[in-house]
């Protein structure tokens, strides 16, 4: 078993939900967890409303860029959390797969993104508890 668990967040554009989830996990779990995010069809940039909503929570995502989903990223991750990418995510045995049904913040203003941000935080807190339970040696 590796030293620490790794989590991959996947959504279509890797511009909103998966970026916010990765930022929350990095913020709340620190270096206890390796964090990646990717998209099956990455956007040109991270959603500005998502960046603003996270900045309001004290997390700077302004330097993040959408990344393309690779088979290697999935293989290297212990947890693969999809957010509406459906069948585009490759499946490998021995991984934890979770599908989080979240509203897509694309094209939404910051007022619409805040509740998504807060729901993602709550799910990340639950995920950290699950990971800590499972990865205790």
């Amino acid at each position: 078993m590796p030293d620490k668990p790794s989590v991959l967040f996947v959504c279509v554009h890797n511009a909103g939900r998966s970026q916010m989830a990765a930022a929350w996990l990095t913020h709340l779990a620190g270096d206890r967890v390796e964090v990646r995010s990717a998209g099956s069809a990455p956007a040109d940039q991270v959603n500005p409303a998502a960046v603003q909503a996270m900045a309001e929570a004290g997390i700077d995502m302004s330097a993040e860029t959408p990344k393309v989903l690779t088979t290697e990223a999935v293989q290297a991750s212990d947890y693969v959390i999809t957010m509406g990418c459906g069948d585009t995510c490759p499946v490998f045995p021995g991984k934890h797969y979770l599908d989080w049904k979240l509203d897509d913040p694309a094209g939404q203003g910051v007022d619409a993104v805040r509740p998504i941000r807060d729901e993602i935080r709550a799910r990340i807190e639950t995920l950290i508890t699950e990971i800590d339970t499972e990865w205790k040696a």
Side-chain angles (χ1 to χ4, degrees):
M1 192 177 264
D3 294 344
K4 61 183 174 182
S6 59
V7 178
L8 171 64
F9 295 101
V10 181
C11 66
V12 176
H13 300 299
N14 189 220
R17 294 165 291 185
S18 56
Q19 290 282 355
M20 289 191 287
W24 272 126
L25 184 55
T26 301
H27 179 75
L28 296 171
D31 59 3
R32 300 193 332 248
V33 179
E34 186 178 347
V35 181
R36 298 182 185 90
S37 72
S40 51
D44 296 331
Q45 65 177 27
V46 174
N47 181 334
V51 172
Q52 183 182 341
M54 292 301 284
E56 291 173 2
I59 298 172
D60 181 8
M61 276 190 352
S62 60
E64 295 299 325
T65 55
K67 292 166 279 301
V68 69
L69 175 65
T70 63
T71 302
E72 293 75 22
V74 177
Q75 284 179 305
S77 301
D78 300 298
Y79 293 81
V80 179
I81 299 175
T82 56
M83 302 169 176
C85 77
D87 299 336
T88 57
C89 299
V91 175
F92 296 97
K95 311 283 179 203
H96 296 273
Y97 287 91
L98 299 168
D99 185 41
W100 289 357
K101 302 278 186 235
L102 295 162
D103 291 335
D104 187 346
Q108 305 277 345
V110 72
D111 289 342
V113 175
R114 285 185 192 108
I116 302 169
R117 173 199 67 199
D118 296 342
E119 182 176 348
I120 291 172
R121 178 183 178 137
R123 290 178 185 228
I124 293 295
E125 289 170 345
T126 301
L127 178 68
I128 291 170
T129 302
E130 288 174 23
I131 290 172
D132 286 348
T133 302
E134 188 161 316
W135 284 76
K136 286 210 168 76

